[in-house]
Amino acid sequence: MGLRALASALATTPGSASRLLKERAERRREAWGAYRVFEPERAVARRVDQGAFRGQPLAGLPVSVKDLFGVSGFDVWAGSKRELPARFEAEGPLISALRRQGAPIMGKTHTVEFAFGGIGTNGHWNTPENPRVPGHVPGGSSSGAPASLVEGSAAFALGSDTAGSVRIPASFSGVVGFKPSNGRWSRAGMVPLSPTLDTAGLLTLSVDDADFVVRGLEGAPIRGGDRSIAGLRLGRLSRHVWEDADPAVVDSVDAALARLASAGAKVVDAKVPETGAALGLFRKGSVTAAECHAFLATELPRWLFELEPKVRSRVLAGAQLSAVEYLRRRGRIERLRKRVRERALDGTIWVAPTTAQTAPRREDVESPEDYGRLNLLALRNTSIANTLGWCALSLPCGADGEGRPIGLMMMAPAGRDLELLAAGRAVERVLGAADQVF
């Protein structure tokens, strides 16, 4: 049952919110390790049943929250080896919106340490299972979110995305990941990685579910923005995003685009020069490491010296970036964002593989060298949207010969979030939602 139908049932069936919460809590598979802490808020469900949140679309829908967000009653660890100071438990606007809506918070899901990594492993905690292909990494940094969805303990998941941290686990684990336009949602109440590039984001089991949650959080009309696949203009981005991609990824994404074309979409080759420039900046290191180091050195100096090795090496590299070079990179990002805003827009939705590879096996990322190479490859394509400030969406479009999920990424200019979700819903009706693909 999709979230629209589930929300309608909760609103019209007495006592259903408490029953749903109990049933969802029982679905938790502890061996999958989605949560750092799991404490369903039953009091909220009772208040939903009592009508305290009447008219709120997300009332009673269980949500998991990445352990970067401040949530009253839950401590924050941000994937590190020790609890963060109590000030980080202060709730920001997104958590406050969930509270006002009456969405029960099931617990805090695991994250890569300080969200700095796309593979999903964590040397301080057990890495969550990939719920589609056990023995493989789940993708990161919102690494526990997919398992919380697929096991059913959460109806949707709140994560963060700095260079792909909701879309990579969505691609690796066969669910949907949505990154809003940079600046659309407040970052307050979220432990920062890179203020220049950070956004909050969502993981769901379908694009339709993501659209429903976004509209609920933003107070937009719950029904609206529907469109047909006929005439939808999809721009297949040029060679940069296809380099070094697994053949299975290329074949699956191109097969999906062929199906969409047969259904009436207009698929064209697209050249967006700013995407190549964004990838060039990503390869240089952008500003993430420098901003992460500055935050830790200022706010959490003790934690800076306790980072796990795969995170520490990259964070300390940020300390070596000169102020001149940091400002040069920041300026480059702002100029690229300005150029894409000024570009004449024709309604095109740009498409590419979400990740150039499928989920690696756990043993394949154990060495620092292999981890570093595969981590950069995982983050490469998704980083484009963060650098340019675009909204972006990953949805399942198939699997390789071993059953490892493959994601199709759709991107649109900043501010076209609801339009992107409407296009994603049209694409999903052709390709099938996650529960149909897997």
Side-chain angles (χ1 to χ4, degrees), residues 89-112:
E89 296 176 27
E91 297 183 356
L94 276 178
I95 299 299
S96 295
L98 292 173
R99 299 284 199 192
R100 289 194 302 273
Q101 291 268 331
I105 295 173
M106 304 298 281
K108 305 288 286 293
T109 51
H110 281 295
T111 174
V112 175

Side-chain angles (χ1 to χ4, degrees), residues 161-425:
D161 193 308
T162 303
S165 287
V166 298
R167 289 163 290 148
I168 296 168
S171 180
F172 279 7
S173 299
V175 297
V176 170
F178 171 67
K179 181 200 99 63
S181 302
N182 283 67
R184 186 179 181 98
W185 291 354
S186 172
R187 293 182 289 103
M190 186 174 82
V191 178
L193 171 58
S194 170
T196 300
L197 302 173
D198 287 345
T199 65
L202 293 174
L203 293 97
T204 58
L205 289 177
S206 71
V207 182
D208 188 62
D209 285 354
D211 179 76
F212 180 79
V213 174
V214 170
R215 289 174 176 276
L217 287 172
E218 295 187 349
I222 291 301
R223 299 196 179 279
D226 204 10
R227 67 153 302 151
S228 167
I229 195 68
L232 177 63
R233 185 177 174 88
L234 301 174
R236 185 185 187 273
L237 285 179
S238 56
R239 60 181 179 83
H240 304 288
V241 298
W242 303 87
E243 292 174 350
D244 301 320
D246 291 347
V249 171
V250 175
D251 291 345
S252 183
V253 173
D254 276 340
L257 294 177
R259 289 177 61 190
L260 295 169
S262 295
K266 183 175 178 60
V267 180
V268 299
D269 289 329
K271 292 184 178 180
V272 184
E274 292 81 6
T275 61
L279 286 174
L281 188 58
F282 168 75
R283 292 187 181 100
K284 288 179 66 175
S286 193
V287 297
T288 304
E291 292 186 342
C292 183
H293 182 271
F295 164 71
L296 291 174
T298 303
E299 298 288 338
L300 298 169
R302 184 178 180 181
W303 282 254
L304 183 61
F305 297 99
E306 298 178 340
L307 297 170
E308 66 159 301
K310 290 173 183 174
V311 174
R312 183 192 305 124
S313 60
R314 287 174 291 136
V315 172
L316 294 182
Q320 306 306 312
L321 193 69
S322 70
V324 171
E325 180 59 22
Y326 170 75
L327 292 173
R328 183 179 290 123
R329 294 182 188 184
R330 276 290 307 270
R332 180 71 165 151
I333 291 170
E334 292 306 317
R335 288 192 297 274
L336 287 173
R337 290 179 177 180
K338 185 172 185 291
R339 274 166 46 186
V340 293
R341 283 196 300 267
E342 293 174 346
R343 177 179 292 279
L345 304 177
D346 57 5
T348 299
I349 301 293
W350 296 298
V351 294
T354 307
T355 58
Q357 83 275 50
T358 52
R361 294 177 179 85
R362 290 172 181 251
E363 59 266 27
D364 292 339
V365 295
E366 288 180 353
S367 75
E369 296 76 19
D370 289 336
Y371 177 91
R373 174 178 57 85
L374 292 170
N375 184 57
L376 287 176
L377 189 60
L379 293 160
R380 185 192 67 190
N381 289 1
T382 52
S383 71
I384 293 171
N386 301 82
T387 299
L388 300 181
W390 290 348
C391 50
L393 181 69
S394 176
L395 65 159
C397 69
D400 68 7
E402 297 182 37
R404 294 180 292 189
I406 294 169
L408 170 67
M409 183 165 62
M410 304 172 63
M411 298 181 287
R416 288 172 56 187
D417 300 60
L418 295 181
E419 181 182 340
L420 174 67
L421 288 164
R425 291 173 67 201

Side-chain angles (χ1 to χ4, degrees), residues 133-150:
V133 276
H136 295 69
V137 297
S141 60
S142 305
S143 54
S148 76
L149 292 173
V150 176

